Amino acid sequence: MNRTLYDLAGADPALRFSPFCWRTRMALAHKDLPVETIPWRFTEKERIAFSGQGLVPVLVDGERVLHDSWAIAEYLEETYPHCPSLFGGPEAQAVTRFVNAWTDAVLHPWVGRLVVRDILDVIRPEDRGYFRESREKRFGVTLEAFVAERETVLPEFRRALQPVRLVLRAQPFLAGEAPAYADYIVFGAFMWARGASAFRLLESDDPVHAWRERMLDLFDGLARRSPGHEV
Amino acid sequence: MNRTLYDLAGADPALRFSPFCWRTRMALAHKDLPVETIPWRFTEKERIAFSGQGLVPVLVDGERVLHDSWAIAEYLEETYPHCPSLFGGPEAQAVTRFVNAWTDAVLHPWVGRLVVRDILDVIRPEDRGYFRESREKRFGVTLEAFVAERETVLPEFRRALQPVRLVLRAQPFLAGEAPAYADYIVFGAFMWARGASAFRLLESDDPVHAWRERMLDLFDGLARRSPGHEV
């Protein structure tokens, strides 16, 4: 069966930096489902219009068209029950929603505040106008102003990671002894930063740093082999 | 078998306001395990010295002595596998750690900043010196100064609940269709506030408010029947 993922790319088509697309790529790898990824850029709305909306990830799984990373994870879990579970059962799936919600509501705004200006430098010149305009409208300030305080707020960002850190002091992965979708959700945010920015988010003695290294190594280094900054 | 829980109490011995003890009380009710609760006050360290430390909850389950709410939850799950599960399996248990860590690292400091001064008014006069001194040492300011900005920071507190809110927009409980330990962890923080303070934490149209109402109703209104402020 044909399986393709529309995946946000930089000017370099090999550079993939969407946190949501990374959730899906790690989920597909976890389930051992091969996929062809198609580089897609912010302004190519018409190329994914068949999905009924304008955001990636868009997964085409044979006849099925899916979007929204959480909906895709649920779909994969339901459609491929004999592949390794992304959650470990319906109860774990329900609680993983909290990790998803925390990442969307807390972690992503934080990472954006640190790296969003750098994205401008890795995308195609023809996409920069759209990116700057849409984000500056969303944030209410210029991209440059949005990240201006990043050195100052960095300690606060690191404190905001404390829930992740506390878990990783007790177990190697957010999902327990082995990684699962809870890990891919949080890891996606770090892949967003890694693809776009050389700004150093984590101190090297942070348990979150060690976990990120383990995540980069998964699936024969799927994430590590992707272009990005080693920080 | 004899089962007793040392449970933090106010001047009124019926007033129970420890968020950690509430996690354990809800967990015991969930497992349908009867328990006798023993009112305990901050300064009565010697009464729980047999547990090898000075904090509640302390659960005496027949011959076993346990402390630390998370350790107690794990113990109950392992010891009473035929009672309703607190987690729904090891995978869900592992992910529930994140809810526990977020509550400890984010929610509790927030709730403390809103209600901690009010605790002084509900505990015995002879415990107030200890409470004030230990907390002011921890916070580095007087209890009054610690909560002085609470009206101002209230909107920020409500925004900090966004991860909980996002989950509750998708499902009735943090654990999914039915409540489980993930819910009891977060709910404990609200029982802490409810026992100690008339300060209104939630707007009535907040999904978190509706969830708290459902939680208050569980187990024949176990939590609602406990003295506290209906806000």
Side-chain angles (χ1 to χ4, degrees), chain A residues 31-65:
Chain A
K31 283 214 164 272
D32 208 14
L33 295 169
V35 65
E36 186 200 348
T37 66
I38 299 176
W40 175 92
R41 273 72 174 223
F42 286 118
T43 53
E44 300 178 319
K45 300 289 187 194
E46 81 291 341
R47 287 184 67 203
I48 56 168
F50 66 91
S51 72
Q53 52 86 58
L55 302 172
V56 290
V58 168
L59 178 69
V60 183
D61 196 44
E63 303 289 301
R64 293 291 305 269
V65 175

PDB file of all heavy atoms in Angstrom, chain A residues 31-65:
ATOM      1  N   LYS A  31       5.539   2.148  14.826  1.00  0.00           N
ATOM      2  CA  LYS A  31       4.641   1.088  14.338  1.00  0.00           C
ATOM      3  C   LYS A  31       5.264   0.309  13.183  1.00  0.00           C
ATOM      4  O   LYS A  31       4.644  -0.601  12.645  1.00  0.00           O
ATOM      5  CB  LYS A  31       3.301   1.692  13.914  1.00  0.00           C
ATOM      6  CG  LYS A  31       2.413   2.040  15.100  1.00  0.00           C
ATOM      7  CD  LYS A  31       0.943   1.833  14.776  1.00  0.00           C
ATOM      8  CE  LYS A  31       0.048   1.794  15.995  1.00  0.00           C
ATOM      9  NZ  LYS A  31      -0.103   0.470  16.600  1.00  0.00           N
ATOM     10  N   ASP A  32       6.488   0.690  12.840  1.00  0.00           N
ATOM     11  CA  ASP A  32       7.203  -0.010  11.772  1.00  0.00           C
ATOM     12  C   ASP A  32       6.431   0.061  10.453  1.00  0.00           C
ATOM     13  O   ASP A  32       6.394  -0.906   9.679  1.00  0.00           O
ATOM     14  CB  ASP A  32       7.439  -1.474  12.194  1.00  0.00           C
ATOM     15  CG  ASP A  32       8.684  -2.053  11.529  1.00  0.00           C
ATOM     16  OD1 ASP A  32       9.488  -1.259  10.978  1.00  0.00           O
ATOM     17  OD2 ASP A  32       8.842  -3.278  11.549  1.00  0.00           O
ATOM     18  N   LEU A  33       5.845   1.211  10.213  1.00  0.00           N
ATOM     19  CA  LEU A  33       5.089   1.428   8.978  1.00  0.00           C
ATOM     20  C   LEU A  33       5.909   2.322   8.059  1.00  0.00           C
ATOM     21  O   LEU A  33       6.141   3.488   8.372  1.00  0.00           O
ATOM     22  CB  LEU A  33       3.741   2.107   9.294  1.00  0.00           C
ATOM     23  CG  LEU A  33       2.747   1.290  10.127  1.00  0.00           C
ATOM     24  CD1 LEU A  33       1.588   2.172  10.581  1.00  0.00           C
ATOM     25  CD2 LEU A  33       2.227   0.086   9.342  1.00  0.00           C
ATOM     26  N   PRO A  34       6.369   1.794   6.940  1.00  0.00           N
ATOM     27  CA  PRO A  34       7.169   2.623   6.027  1.00  0.00           C
ATOM     28  C   PRO A  34       6.325   3.762   5.454  1.00  0.00           C
ATOM     29  O   PRO A  34       5.107   3.628   5.288  1.00  0.00           O
ATOM     30  CB  PRO A  34       7.606   1.664   4.922  1.00  0.00           C
ATOM     31  CG  PRO A  34       6.924   0.365   5.158  1.00  0.00           C
ATOM     32  CD  PRO A  34       6.153   0.426   6.436  1.00  0.00           C
ATOM     33  N   VAL A  35       7.006   4.850   5.173  1.00  0.00           N
ATOM     34  CA  VAL A  35       6.287   6.024   4.658  1.00  0.00           C
ATOM     35  C   VAL A  35       7.218   6.796   3.733  1.00  0.00           C
ATOM     36  O   VAL A  35       8.429   6.857   3.962  1.00  0.00           O
ATOM     37  CB  VAL A  35       5.800   6.921   5.831  1.00  0.00           C
ATOM     38  CG1 VAL A  35       6.973   7.523   6.599  1.00  0.00           C
ATOM     39  CG2 VAL A  35       4.863   8.021   5.342  1.00  0.00           C
ATOM     40  N   GLU A  36       6.638   7.332   2.685  1.00  0.00           N
ATOM     41  CA  GLU A  36       7.393   8.261   1.855  1.00  0.00           C
ATOM     42  C   GLU A  36       7.027   9.666   2.318  1.00  0.00           C
ATOM     43  O   GLU A  36       5.841  10.010   2.365  1.00  0.00           O
ATOM     44  CB  GLU A  36       7.021   8.067   0.385  1.00  0.00           C
ATOM     45  CG  GLU A  36       7.868   8.910  -0.565  1.00  0.00           C
ATOM     46  CD  GLU A  36       7.190   9.089  -1.925  1.00  0.00           C
ATOM     47  OE1 GLU A  36       6.192   8.387  -2.210  1.00  0.00           O
ATOM     48  OE2 GLU A  36       7.649   9.959  -2.681  1.00  0.00           O
ATOM     49  N   THR A  37       8.026  10.457   2.679  1.00  0.00           N
ATOM     50  CA  THR A  37       7.704  11.826   3.097  1.00  0.00           C
ATOM     51  C   THR A  37       7.898  12.767   1.910  1.00  0.00           C
ATOM     52  O   THR A  37       8.827  12.626   1.126  1.00  0.00           O
ATOM     53  CB  THR A  37       8.595  12.295   4.271  1.00  0.00           C
ATOM     54  OG1 THR A  37       9.939  12.404   3.832  1.00  0.00           O
ATOM     55  CG2 THR A  37       8.497  11.345   5.445  1.00  0.00           C
ATOM     56  N   ILE A  38       6.977  13.688   1.806  1.00  0.00           N
ATOM     57  CA  ILE A  38       6.996  14.655   0.709  1.00  0.00           C
ATOM     58  C   ILE A  38       7.287  16.027   1.292  1.00  0.00           C
ATOM     59  O   ILE A  38       6.515  16.513   2.134  1.00  0.00           O
ATOM     60  CB  ILE A  38       5.631  14.668  -0.007  1.00  0.00           C
ATOM     61  CG1 ILE A  38       5.350  13.269  -0.584  1.00  0.00           C
ATOM     62  CG2 ILE A  38       5.585  15.745  -1.075  1.00  0.00           C
ATOM     63  CD1 ILE A  38       3.973  13.151  -1.221  1.00  0.00           C
ATOM     64  N   PRO A  39       8.399  16.657   0.888  1.00  0.00           N
ATOM     65  CA  PRO A  39       8.678  17.992   1.432  1.00  0.00           C
ATOM     66  C   PRO A  39       7.584  18.971   1.012  1.00  0.00           C
ATOM     67  O   PRO A  39       7.170  18.999  -0.158  1.00  0.00           O
ATOM     68  CB  PRO A  39      10.036  18.364   0.822  1.00  0.00           C
ATOM     69  CG  PRO A  39      10.274  17.416  -0.298  1.00  0.00           C
ATOM     70  CD  PRO A  39       9.421  16.202  -0.066  1.00  0.00           C
ATOM     71  N   TRP A  40       7.133  19.753   1.969  1.00  0.00           N
ATOM     72  CA  TRP A  40       6.031  20.672   1.743  1.00  0.00           C
ATOM     73  C   TRP A  40       6.388  21.994   2.398  1.00  0.00           C
ATOM     74  O   TRP A  40       7.032  22.014   3.454  1.00  0.00           O
ATOM     75  CB  TRP A  40       4.746  20.074   2.340  1.00  0.00           C
ATOM     76  CG  TRP A  40       3.541  20.980   2.291  1.00  0.00           C
ATOM     77  CD1 TRP A  40       2.602  21.050   1.303  1.00  0.00           C
ATOM     78  CD2 TRP A  40       3.134  21.936   3.293  1.00  0.00           C
ATOM     79  NE1 TRP A  40       1.648  21.974   1.611  1.00  0.00           N
ATOM     80  CE2 TRP A  40       1.945  22.540   2.824  1.00  0.00           C
ATOM     81  CE3 TRP A  40       3.657  22.346   4.516  1.00  0.00           C
ATOM     82  CZ2 TRP A  40       1.278  23.532   3.550  1.00  0.00           C
ATOM     83  CZ3 TRP A  40       2.992  23.335   5.241  1.00  0.00           C
ATOM     84  CH2 TRP A  40       1.808  23.912   4.750  1.00  0.00           C
ATOM     85  N   ARG A  41       6.021  23.085   1.763  1.00  0.00           N
ATOM     86  CA  ARG A  41       6.345  24.403   2.329  1.00  0.00           C
ATOM     87  C   ARG A  41       5.085  25.162   2.729  1.00  0.00           C
ATOM     88  O   ARG A  41       4.019  24.960   2.150  1.00  0.00           O
ATOM     89  CB  ARG A  41       7.153  25.230   1.328  1.00  0.00           C
ATOM     90  CG  ARG A  41       8.644  24.990   1.420  1.00  0.00           C
ATOM     91  CD  ARG A  41       9.031  23.613   0.880  1.00  0.00           C
ATOM     92  NE  ARG A  41      10.484  23.422   0.838  1.00  0.00           N
ATOM     93  CZ  ARG A  41      11.113  22.854  -0.178  1.00  0.00           C
ATOM     94  NH1 ARG A  41      10.433  22.406  -1.235  1.00  0.00           N
ATOM     95  NH2 ARG A  41      12.426  22.707  -0.130  1.00  0.00           N
ATOM     96  N   PHE A  42       5.287  26.083   3.685  1.00  0.00           N
ATOM     97  CA  PHE A  42       4.178  26.855   4.282  1.00  0.00           C
ATOM     98  C   PHE A  42       3.174  27.389   3.265  1.00  0.00           C
ATOM     99  O   PHE A  42       1.975  27.443   3.532  1.00  0.00           O
ATOM    100  CB  PHE A  42       4.741  28.051   5.055  1.00  0.00           C
ATOM    101  CG  PHE A  42       5.388  27.707   6.359  1.00  0.00           C
ATOM    102  CD1 PHE A  42       6.734  27.960   6.579  1.00  0.00           C
ATOM    103  CD2 PHE A  42       4.643  27.144   7.389  1.00  0.00           C
ATOM    104  CE1 PHE A  42       7.335  27.663   7.805  1.00  0.00           C
ATOM    105  CE2 PHE A  42       5.236  26.851   8.612  1.00  0.00           C
ATOM    106  CZ  PHE A  42       6.592  27.108   8.817  1.00  0.00           C
ATOM    107  N   THR A  43       3.697  27.833   2.093  1.00  0.00           N
ATOM    108  CA  THR A  43       2.808  28.522   1.150  1.00  0.00           C
ATOM    109  C   THR A  43       2.126  27.566   0.168  1.00  0.00           C
ATOM    110  O   THR A  43       1.341  28.007  -0.663  1.00  0.00           O
ATOM    111  CB  THR A  43       3.607  29.567   0.346  1.00  0.00           C
ATOM    112  OG1 THR A  43       4.741  28.923  -0.237  1.00  0.00           O
ATOM    113  CG2 THR A  43       4.074  30.703   1.257  1.00  0.00           C
ATOM    114  N   GLU A  44       2.427  26.282   0.289  1.00  0.00           N
ATOM    115  CA  GLU A  44       1.866  25.337  -0.678  1.00  0.00           C
ATOM    116  C   GLU A  44       0.522  24.765  -0.219  1.00  0.00           C
ATOM    117  O   GLU A  44       0.315  23.550  -0.219  1.00  0.00           O
ATOM    118  CB  GLU A  44       2.889  24.227  -0.963  1.00  0.00           C
ATOM    119  CG  GLU A  44       4.185  24.781  -1.538  1.00  0.00           C
ATOM    120  CD  GLU A  44       5.230  23.690  -1.790  1.00  0.00           C
ATOM    121  OE1 GLU A  44       5.376  22.776  -0.955  1.00  0.00           O
ATOM    122  OE2 GLU A  44       5.885  23.762  -2.844  1.00  0.00           O
ATOM    123  N   LYS A  45      -0.335  25.657   0.170  1.00  0.00           N
ATOM    124  CA  LYS A  45      -1.646  25.243   0.694  1.00  0.00           C
ATOM    125  C   LYS A  45      -2.417  24.402  -0.326  1.00  0.00           C
ATOM    126  O   LYS A  45      -3.123  23.455   0.040  1.00  0.00           O
ATOM    127  CB  LYS A  45      -2.478  26.476   1.079  1.00  0.00           C
ATOM    128  CG  LYS A  45      -1.847  27.357   2.151  1.00  0.00           C
ATOM    129  CD  LYS A  45      -1.862  26.712   3.527  1.00  0.00           C
ATOM    130  CE  LYS A  45      -1.371  27.680   4.609  1.00  0.00           C
ATOM    131  NZ  LYS A  45      -1.062  26.998   5.880  1.00  0.00           N
ATOM    132  N   GLU A  46      -2.276  24.782  -1.607  1.00  0.00           N
ATOM    133  CA  GLU A  46      -3.075  24.063  -2.623  1.00  0.00           C
ATOM    134  C   GLU A  46      -2.662  22.597  -2.774  1.00  0.00           C
ATOM    135  O   GLU A  46      -3.475  21.751  -3.143  1.00  0.00           O
ATOM    136  CB  GLU A  46      -3.016  24.822  -3.970  1.00  0.00           C
ATOM    137  CG  GLU A  46      -1.767  24.592  -4.812  1.00  0.00           C
ATOM    138  CD  GLU A  46      -0.500  25.191  -4.198  1.00  0.00           C
ATOM    139  OE1 GLU A  46      -0.587  26.080  -3.314  1.00  0.00           O
ATOM    140  OE2 GLU A  46       0.591  24.748  -4.604  1.00  0.00           O
ATOM    141  N   ARG A  47      -1.398  22.302  -2.426  1.00  0.00           N
ATOM    142  CA  ARG A  47      -0.927  20.919  -2.570  1.00  0.00           C
ATOM    143  C   ARG A  47      -1.555  19.967  -1.547  1.00  0.00           C
ATOM    144  O   ARG A  47      -1.526  18.749  -1.730  1.00  0.00           O
ATOM    145  CB  ARG A  47       0.602  20.856  -2.441  1.00  0.00           C
ATOM    146  CG  ARG A  47       1.325  21.412  -3.664  1.00  0.00           C
ATOM    147  CD  ARG A  47       2.827  21.235  -3.515  1.00  0.00           C
ATOM    148  NE  ARG A  47       3.247  19.848  -3.529  1.00  0.00           N
ATOM    149  CZ  ARG A  47       4.390  19.395  -2.988  1.00  0.00           C
ATOM    150  NH1 ARG A  47       5.196  20.233  -2.387  1.00  0.00           N
ATOM    151  NH2 ARG A  47       4.706  18.119  -3.050  1.00  0.00           N
ATOM    152  N   ILE A  48      -2.052  20.533  -0.445  1.00  0.00           N
ATOM    153  CA  ILE A  48      -2.714  19.667   0.539  1.00  0.00           C
ATOM    154  C   ILE A  48      -4.198  20.005   0.679  1.00  0.00           C
ATOM    155  O   ILE A  48      -4.863  19.547   1.612  1.00  0.00           O
ATOM    156  CB  ILE A  48      -2.025  19.726   1.926  1.00  0.00           C
ATOM    157  CG1 ILE A  48      -1.948  21.172   2.455  1.00  0.00           C
ATOM    158  CG2 ILE A  48      -0.620  19.105   1.856  1.00  0.00           C
ATOM    159  CD1 ILE A  48      -1.543  21.257   3.923  1.00  0.00           C
ATOM    160  N   ALA A  49      -4.690  20.782  -0.279  1.00  0.00           N
ATOM    161  CA  ALA A  49      -6.109  21.177  -0.222  1.00  0.00           C
ATOM    162  C   ALA A  49      -7.026  19.950  -0.244  1.00  0.00           C
ATOM    163  O   ALA A  49      -8.130  19.977   0.321  1.00  0.00           O
ATOM    164  CB  ALA A  49      -6.438  22.115  -1.386  1.00  0.00           C
ATOM    165  N   PHE A  50      -6.556  18.864  -0.845  1.00  0.00           N
ATOM    166  CA  PHE A  50      -7.370  17.631  -0.879  1.00  0.00           C
ATOM    167  C   PHE A  50      -7.680  17.100   0.518  1.00  0.00           C
ATOM    168  O   PHE A  50      -8.590  16.290   0.702  1.00  0.00           O
ATOM    169  CB  PHE A  50      -6.647  16.535  -1.696  1.00  0.00           C
ATOM    170  CG  PHE A  50      -5.372  16.061  -1.057  1.00  0.00           C
ATOM    171  CD1 PHE A  50      -5.373  14.980  -0.175  1.00  0.00           C
ATOM    172  CD2 PHE A  50      -4.160  16.692  -1.333  1.00  0.00           C
ATOM    173  CE1 PHE A  50      -4.205  14.544   0.426  1.00  0.00           C
ATOM    174  CE2 PHE A  50      -2.985  16.262  -0.728  1.00  0.00           C
ATOM    175  CZ  PHE A  50      -3.009  15.192   0.149  1.00  0.00           C
ATOM    176  N   SER A  51      -6.910  17.553   1.530  1.00  0.00           N
ATOM    177  CA  SER A  51      -7.157  17.096   2.902  1.00  0.00           C
ATOM    178  C   SER A  51      -8.248  17.917   3.576  1.00  0.00           C
ATOM    179  O   SER A  51      -8.632  17.625   4.718  1.00  0.00           O
ATOM    180  CB  SER A  51      -5.864  17.181   3.717  1.00  0.00           C
ATOM    181  OG  SER A  51      -5.533  18.543   3.995  1.00  0.00           O
ATOM    182  N   GLY A  52      -8.711  18.950   2.890  1.00  0.00           N
ATOM    183  CA  GLY A  52      -9.800  19.760   3.438  1.00  0.00           C
ATOM    184  C   GLY A  52      -9.343  20.839   4.389  1.00  0.00           C
ATOM    185  O   GLY A  52     -10.167  21.506   5.023  1.00  0.00           O
ATOM    186  N   GLN A  53      -8.040  21.040   4.504  1.00  0.00           N
ATOM    187  CA  GLN A  53      -7.490  22.085   5.383  1.00  0.00           C
ATOM    188  C   GLN A  53      -6.067  22.400   4.943  1.00  0.00           C
ATOM    189  O   GLN A  53      -5.578  21.813   3.971  1.00  0.00           O
ATOM    190  CB  GLN A  53      -7.591  21.670   6.855  1.00  0.00           C
ATOM    191  CG  GLN A  53      -7.020  20.316   7.165  1.00  0.00           C
ATOM    192  CD  GLN A  53      -5.536  20.349   7.441  1.00  0.00           C
ATOM    193  OE1 GLN A  53      -5.095  21.040   8.349  1.00  0.00           O
ATOM    194  NE2 GLN A  53      -4.745  19.623   6.647  1.00  0.00           N
ATOM    195  N   GLY A  54      -5.387  23.289   5.657  1.00  0.00           N
ATOM    196  CA  GLY A  54      -4.117  23.787   5.145  1.00  0.00           C
ATOM    197  C   GLY A  54      -2.885  23.538   5.999  1.00  0.00           C
ATOM    198  O   GLY A  54      -1.886  24.237   5.857  1.00  0.00           O
ATOM    199  N   LEU A  55      -2.947  22.575   6.921  1.00  0.00           N
ATOM    200  CA  LEU A  55      -1.807  22.349   7.809  1.00  0.00           C
ATOM    201  C   LEU A  55      -1.252  20.932   7.668  1.00  0.00           C
ATOM    202  O   LEU A  55      -1.982  19.989   7.381  1.00  0.00           O
ATOM    203  CB  LEU A  55      -2.228  22.576   9.275  1.00  0.00           C
ATOM    204  CG  LEU A  55      -2.793  23.960   9.620  1.00  0.00           C
ATOM    205  CD1 LEU A  55      -3.345  23.960  11.040  1.00  0.00           C
ATOM    206  CD2 LEU A  55      -1.741  25.049   9.460  1.00  0.00           C
ATOM    207  N   VAL A  56       0.046  20.791   7.877  1.00  0.00           N
ATOM    208  CA  VAL A  56       0.652  19.471   7.944  1.00  0.00           C
ATOM    209  C   VAL A  56       0.830  19.087   9.413  1.00  0.00           C
ATOM    210  O   VAL A  56       0.831  19.965  10.263  1.00  0.00           O
ATOM    211  CB  VAL A  56       2.021  19.440   7.213  1.00  0.00           C
ATOM    212  CG1 VAL A  56       1.807  19.548   5.714  1.00  0.00           C
ATOM    213  CG2 VAL A  56       2.972  20.500   7.740  1.00  0.00           C
ATOM    214  N   PRO A  57       0.972  17.817   9.726  1.00  0.00           N
ATOM    215  CA  PRO A  57       1.067  16.670   8.833  1.00  0.00           C
ATOM    216  C   PRO A  57      -0.258  16.336   8.123  1.00  0.00           C
ATOM    217  O   PRO A  57      -1.324  16.443   8.721  1.00  0.00           O
ATOM    218  CB  PRO A  57       1.445  15.519   9.772  1.00  0.00           C
ATOM    219  CG  PRO A  57       0.868  15.904  11.098  1.00  0.00           C
ATOM    220  CD  PRO A  57       1.035  17.405  11.153  1.00  0.00           C
ATOM    221  N   VAL A  58      -0.112  15.912   6.863  1.00  0.00           N
ATOM    222  CA  VAL A  58      -1.202  15.241   6.160  1.00  0.00           C
ATOM    223  C   VAL A  58      -0.679  13.858   5.796  1.00  0.00           C
ATOM    224  O   VAL A  58       0.374  13.745   5.152  1.00  0.00           O
ATOM    225  CB  VAL A  58      -1.617  16.015   4.891  1.00  0.00           C
ATOM    226  CG1 VAL A  58      -2.549  15.159   4.024  1.00  0.00           C
ATOM    227  CG2 VAL A  58      -2.298  17.327   5.269  1.00  0.00           C
ATOM    228  N   LEU A  59      -1.386  12.847   6.229  1.00  0.00           N
ATOM    229  CA  LEU A  59      -0.996  11.469   5.934  1.00  0.00           C
ATOM    230  C   LEU A  59      -1.983  10.884   4.931  1.00  0.00           C
ATOM    231  O   LEU A  59      -3.197  10.967   5.131  1.00  0.00           O
ATOM    232  CB  LEU A  59      -1.014  10.633   7.220  1.00  0.00           C
ATOM    233  CG  LEU A  59      -0.659   9.137   7.048  1.00  0.00           C
ATOM    234  CD1 LEU A  59       0.821   8.959   6.692  1.00  0.00           C
ATOM    235  CD2 LEU A  59      -0.992   8.360   8.326  1.00  0.00           C
ATOM    236  N   VAL A  60      -1.425  10.339   3.854  1.00  0.00           N
ATOM    237  CA  VAL A  60      -2.252   9.609   2.894  1.00  0.00           C
ATOM    238  C   VAL A  60      -1.905   8.135   3.056  1.00  0.00           C
ATOM    239  O   VAL A  60      -0.783   7.716   2.755  1.00  0.00           O
ATOM    240  CB  VAL A  60      -1.996  10.082   1.450  1.00  0.00           C
ATOM    241  CG1 VAL A  60      -2.931   9.351   0.489  1.00  0.00           C
ATOM    242  CG2 VAL A  60      -2.183  11.588   1.338  1.00  0.00           C
ATOM    243  N   ASP A  61      -2.856   7.400   3.588  1.00  0.00           N
ATOM    244  CA  ASP A  61      -2.637   5.991   3.916  1.00  0.00           C
ATOM    245  C   ASP A  61      -3.543   5.151   3.019  1.00  0.00           C
ATOM    246  O   ASP A  61      -4.701   4.885   3.361  1.00  0.00           O
ATOM    247  CB  ASP A  61      -2.977   5.774   5.401  1.00  0.00           C
ATOM    248  CG  ASP A  61      -2.422   4.453   5.922  1.00  0.00           C
ATOM    249  OD1 ASP A  61      -1.261   4.130   5.619  1.00  0.00           O
ATOM    250  OD2 ASP A  61      -3.167   3.750   6.632  1.00  0.00           O
ATOM    251  N   GLY A  62      -2.998   4.773   1.850  1.00  0.00           N
ATOM    252  CA  GLY A  62      -3.840   4.101   0.866  1.00  0.00           C
ATOM    253  C   GLY A  62      -4.934   5.045   0.423  1.00  0.00           C
ATOM    254  O   GLY A  62      -4.657   6.121  -0.129  1.00  0.00           O
ATOM    255  N   GLU A  63      -6.160   4.686   0.717  1.00  0.00           N
ATOM    256  CA  GLU A  63      -7.309   5.500   0.301  1.00  0.00           C
ATOM    257  C   GLU A  63      -7.631   6.601   1.308  1.00  0.00           C
ATOM    258  O   GLU A  63      -8.423   7.496   1.018  1.00  0.00           O
ATOM    259  CB  GLU A  63      -8.566   4.613   0.172  1.00  0.00           C
ATOM    260  CG  GLU A  63      -8.426   3.439  -0.777  1.00  0.00           C
ATOM    261  CD  GLU A  63      -8.371   3.917  -2.224  1.00  0.00           C
ATOM    262  OE1 GLU A  63      -9.329   4.576  -2.661  1.00  0.00           O
ATOM    263  OE2 GLU A  63      -7.338   3.658  -2.895  1.00  0.00           O
ATOM    264  N   ARG A  64      -7.065   6.486   2.508  1.00  0.00           N
ATOM    265  CA  ARG A  64      -7.440   7.395   3.591  1.00  0.00           C
ATOM    266  C   ARG A  64      -6.574   8.642   3.602  1.00  0.00           C
ATOM    267  O   ARG A  64      -5.359   8.568   3.408  1.00  0.00           O
ATOM    268  CB  ARG A  64      -7.319   6.692   4.949  1.00  0.00           C
ATOM    269  CG  ARG A  64      -8.311   5.571   5.163  1.00  0.00           C
ATOM    270  CD  ARG A  64      -9.733   6.111   5.309  1.00  0.00           C
ATOM    271  NE  ARG A  64      -9.837   7.107   6.366  1.00  0.00           N
ATOM    272  CZ  ARG A  64     -10.134   6.811   7.629  1.00  0.00           C
ATOM    273  NH1 ARG A  64     -10.354   5.565   7.983  1.00  0.00           N
ATOM    274  NH2 ARG A  64     -10.227   7.776   8.532  1.00  0.00           N
ATOM    275  N   VAL A  65      -7.221   9.778   3.845  1.00  0.00           N
ATOM    276  CA  VAL A  65      -6.490  11.043   3.996  1.00  0.00           C
ATOM    277  C   VAL A  65      -6.729  11.545   5.419  1.00  0.00           C
ATOM    278  O   VAL A  65      -7.884  11.685   5.842  1.00  0.00           O
ATOM    279  CB  VAL A  65      -6.967  12.097   2.976  1.00  0.00           C
ATOM    280  CG1 VAL A  65      -6.288  13.438   3.234  1.00  0.00           C
ATOM    281  CG2 VAL A  65      -6.706  11.615   1.558  1.00  0.00           C
TER     282      VAL A  65
END
